[in-house]
Amino acid sequence: MQAPQIHPDMAAGVIARFLKARGVDRIFALCGGHIMPIWMQCDAAGIRIIDVRDERAAVYMAHAHSELTGRLGVALVTAGPGMTNAMTGIANAHTSRASVLVLSGCPPRAQENRGALQDMPHVDMVRPITRYARTVREPSLVLQELDEAVSRALGEGGDPGPVYVDFPVDTQRGIVPKVLQRDEHLLGRPPKVVLPDAATIEAAVDLLWSAKKPLVITGRGARGAGAEIRRLLDATGALYLDTGESRGLVPDSHPSVVSAMRGTVMGDADLVITIGRKLDFQLAYGSPAVFGEARFLRISNTASELRDNRRGEVELLGTPAAAIAAMLDLAQTRTAATDRDWAQGLRRQHEARAEKLRATMAAAPSDADGHIHPNRVLHELQQRLAPDAIVVADGGDFLSFARVGLSAATYLDPGSLGCIGIGTPFGVAASLAFPERQVVVATGDGAFGFNAMEIDTAVRHGAKPLIVVANNGAWQIEVHDQQDSFGKVVGTRLQLSDHAAMARAFGMHGERVERAEDLGPAIDRALKNLPAMLDVLVSPEAKSSDGKSGLAWVPDLQPLGAWEASEQAWRASAQNDNQ
């Protein structure tokens, strides 16, 4: 049989033209027969194909590309197992609200529901974890369906997040009439700016400027509002906590930053201002057991970040940057009631704790076997980070150390799904998107194993991350939890595999580091020979904050043991008061 010829009006060609018109210059993909027409047309259109080793990694890379560039990320995966492999990546993008378009294929229409190869109900499977999911069977509808999908992915009219569109193979080869290839569907539109009404802005100003102990907490939806948030902090003297979703919006040097006093400030605040941030498990669901009787002011352009778990006394539904600017314009020279002694005192305590942590990390001792403390690894890395470095932290136990011990203006981690294994794919995508910037992946050995083969993708495509694997031969949080709770360890030990040897086998610079005094020079060599991997033997005895918190135990009411105790005590007290 002669292969079909590429024709510019084929649906697959129109799909490629659409992607090109929307500014997509690369897609992350793994090839297969059910997507071959789209694959070849994307190549013909000059769209770079970053071919990966697992579809899950393709979606992870599209996710990171979107997070870092602020544009649409695109993954192309084949039918059946290609799509099912991609589902974990789709789920993570769903929870992280990342703007990702996942394209796939399915059997020709004449073979549907007859037991065709890889014929599965893709759309039914991904609908709960996407903003939009469709099978497009009619070639003439390709453009309008893609336009709608991308609009949903970018959050026009709702939460941003992943969308999924697939096409039967014969549809991909079908012809789209030129009269239906309209610019109104091909070309995108600039993001819409939404302003809350004037009365709500006035109420927000009155609430914030009258608070004595205001605390600002930002999340994913605050990206793009960094300048306005810093102006708000300067004008009000409010204190500030970021999250992994918004790291870098406010520099550590800003006098409002008190991340080292997180527990104290969450309990002290009389007003909590969330900006583009859900009150999920990472913030104790906004529970009064942790936040006391604080009132809430909530600002977001999506409902899911506006009224989940705790309603705001004032809720601003609008573009965060514009809403905050409007508040500042209205307040102008009004003097905020913030207790400056309280704010400055917490800032001083934060600085003292941060300095103590830096000193402790620099001097963190190795164990009796000479294995390096994870904090020492992070200290040596921190000393060598460029000002514009992109840091990706991954893992369970090691992520807990890195979340506190690594500071960077651009930071990514597994997110609220706890989707470990993102490290190497995120690092590859980051390096390809910003080849001039230093990209460092700090990952545990368990997390690295999920997508270890993507080091092959890095080498083949010229990505140049530094991947540092903290190797303790275990799923360490679970090991500690099993030892503490049950007195025995079951199925949570790994081996101290030589990951550096694997890296060298794929053409990457690789070194194993076994002693603390060798760590600094090894990092220096690695940064001169990118892409590179350092396999660092770290102490299994070091216990992270997550390892101490009951994270693996999973308490009933709250995610952390300390918050669980507070929640139970608060509920019991409230019940007694009502009797």
Side-chain angles (χ1 to χ4, degrees):
M1 183 183 98
Q2 185 177 4
Q5 297 300 304
I6 290 178
H7 187 288
D9 292 329
M10 284 172 55
V14 173
I15 293 168
R17 282 181 54 214
F18 173 89
L19 296 176
K20 194 79 169 177
R22 294 300 177 97
V24 175
D25 59 0
R26 71 197 63 190
I27 58 175
F28 303 93
L30 205 162
C31 199
H34 290 99
I35 56 171
M36 192 64 73
I38 299 174
W39 186 284
M40 300 310 295
Q41 290 277 13
C42 284
D43 176 71
I47 296 173
R48 184 179 181 186
I49 298 174
I50 309 299
D51 58 303
V52 301
R53 300 298 298 267
D54 186 282
E55 288 87 358
R56 171 180 47 181
V59 184
Y60 287 158
M61 290 182 191
H63 177 159
H65 181 84
S66 176
E67 299 272 44
L68 292 169
T69 66
R71 302 194 302 270
L72 183 72
V74 181
L76 176 60
V77 302
T78 198
M83 196 285 298
T84 58
N85 284 347
M87 285 184 67
T88 298
I90 296 171
N92 196 42
H94 164 71
T95 304
S96 300
R97 303 180 295 290
S99 298
V100 174
L101 168 64
V102 180
L103 298 174
S104 186
C106 51
R109 286 170 289 179
Q111 298 184 42
E112 284 187 57
N113 303 316
R114 299 179 66 195
L117 175 67
Q118 298 178 346
D119 187 10
M120 299 188 72
H122 298 161
V123 168
D124 292 342
M125 296 168 72
V126 300
R127 185 174 284 116
I129 53 173
T130 55
R131 304 295 180 267
Y132 191 78
R134 289 287 180 88
T135 296
V136 182
R137 293 177 171 83
E138 169 54 50
S140 64
L141 298 178
V142 162
L143 277 179
Q144 64 187 67
E145 289 282 8
L146 286 174
D147 181 35
E148 179 65 19
V150 171
S151 297
R152 300 279 191 98
L154 296 173
E156 295 182 14
D159 281 14
V163 295
Y164 176 87
V165 185
D166 68 8
F167 311 85
V169 177
D170 60 322
T171 298
Q172 296 174 45
R173 294 192 285 255
I175 299 299
V176 179
K178 284 189 180 296
V179 70
L180 297 179
Q181 298 179 33
R182 301 181 65 86
D183 284 348
E184 66 189 71
H185 291 138
L186 271 170
L187 303 178
R189 289 167 172 78
K192 296 176 177 64
V193 176
V194 179
L195 267 178
D197 63 90
T200 310
I201 293 171
E202 183 176 355
V205 169
D206 287 342
L207 183 62
L208 176 51
W209 264 257
S210 63
K212 295 186 180 301
K213 295 180 178 180
L215 169 65
V216 173
I217 304 177
T218 58
R220 179 213 60 82
R223 296 172 189 166
E228 289 78 11
I229 291 168
R230 293 189 292 273
R231 286 174 55 208
L232 184 71
L233 295 172
D234 292 339
T236 63
L239 293 181
Y240 176 76
L241 292 176
D242 68 12
T243 64
E245 296 183 356
S246 57
R247 185 82 66 89
L249 279 183
V250 177
D252 292 343
S253 58
H254 194 282
S256 290
V257 172
V258 290
S259 53
M261 300 300 296
R262 179 172 179 255
T264 300
V265 74
M266 285 167 64
D268 278 359
D270 64 357
L271 177 67
V272 177
I273 305 97
T274 64
I275 305 175
R277 185 61 165 91
K278 296 180 75 170
L279 287 169
D280 60 10
F281 75 94
Q282 296 171 315
L283 293 172
Y285 312 113
S287 173
V290 173
F291 285 94
E293 295 306 312
R295 297 176 295 175
F296 283 79
L297 165 59
R298 307 203 62 181
I299 304 171
S300 179
N301 62 347
T302 66
S304 69
E305 297 167 347
L306 199 68
R307 55 178 182 262
D308 65 304
N309 289 312
R310 294 293 300 274
R311 296 299 300 256
E313 186 163 320
V314 178
E315 297 168 347
L316 292 183
L317 179 61
T319 305
I324 296 169
M327 290 172 62
L328 290 165
D329 288 344
L330 181 62
Q332 293 191 10
T333 58
R334 180 172 173 174
T335 300
T338 301
D339 182 339
R340 301 286 174 159
D341 290 338
W342 167 76
Q344 291 169 7
L346 280 179
R347 173 64 183 181
R348 285 193 296 270
Q349 292 178 66
H350 160 81
E351 290 176 327
R353 281 193 179 182
E355 180 55 39
K356 181 179 179 181
L357 176 63
R358 284 190 289 268
T360 300
M361 290 175 64
S366 300
D367 64 19
D369 295 322
H371 294 162
I372 306 166
H373 195 289
N375 274 337
R376 180 65 184 276
V377 179
L378 297 170
H379 167 76
E380 297 293 343
L381 278 175
Q382 186 70 57
Q383 302 309 302
R384 293 162 174 82
L385 288 182
D388 65 345
I390 299 171
V391 169
V392 180
D394 190 14
D397 200 56
F398 191 55
L399 173 63
S400 180
F401 286 107
R403 190 186 298 119
V404 177
L406 276 183
S407 177
T410 304
Y411 171 91
L412 297 174
D413 67 17
S416 59
L417 187 61
C419 191
I420 65 174
I422 54 87
T424 300
F426 273 27
V428 170
S431 182
L432 291 173
F434 298 98
E436 73 287 354
R437 293 172 64 179
Q438 185 187 75
V439 175
V440 174
V441 177
T443 179
D445 56 331
F448 171 70
F450 277 95
N451 287 288
M453 284 297 291
E454 299 307 327
I455 62 175
D456 170 65
T457 305
V459 173
R460 286 186 295 107
H461 288 282
K464 295 187 176 181
L466 166 59
I467 302 170
V468 179
V469 179
N471 189 352
N472 55 19
W475 302 101
Q476 200 60 51
I477 288 179
E478 287 74 15
V479 167
H480 287 311
D481 191 65
Q482 288 177 345
Q483 288 174 329
D484 294 345
S485 301
F486 305 101
K488 62 186 296 188
V489 176
V490 181
T492 52
R493 298 282 192 195
L494 302 171
Q495 57 180 325
L496 294 174
S497 302
D498 191 342
H499 301 106
M502 177 184 177
R504 291 193 297 271
F506 283 101
M508 181 180 282
H509 175 86
E511 295 186 40
R512 170 167 274 201
V513 183
E514 301 182 6
R515 300 184 305 169
E517 56 267 32
D518 296 333
L519 188 55
I523 296 173
D524 292 336
R525 286 191 295 274
L527 289 171
K528 293 176 181 177
N529 293 280
L530 298 172
M533 176 184 292
L534 296 179
D535 182 30
V536 183
L537 296 188
V538 299
S539 173
E541 298 171 9
K543 204 166 187 177
S544 69
S545 59
D546 285 351
K548 299 173 184 176
S549 66
L551 188 67
W553 166 53
V554 190
D556 290 338
L557 303 175
Q558 286 283 353
L560 304 179
W563 288 352
E564 171 79 4
S566 296
E567 184 77 25
Q568 290 185 353
W570 172 70
R571 292 189 182 198
S573 175
Q575 183 173 349
N576 290 336
D577 290 344
N578 290 330
Q579 290 177 347

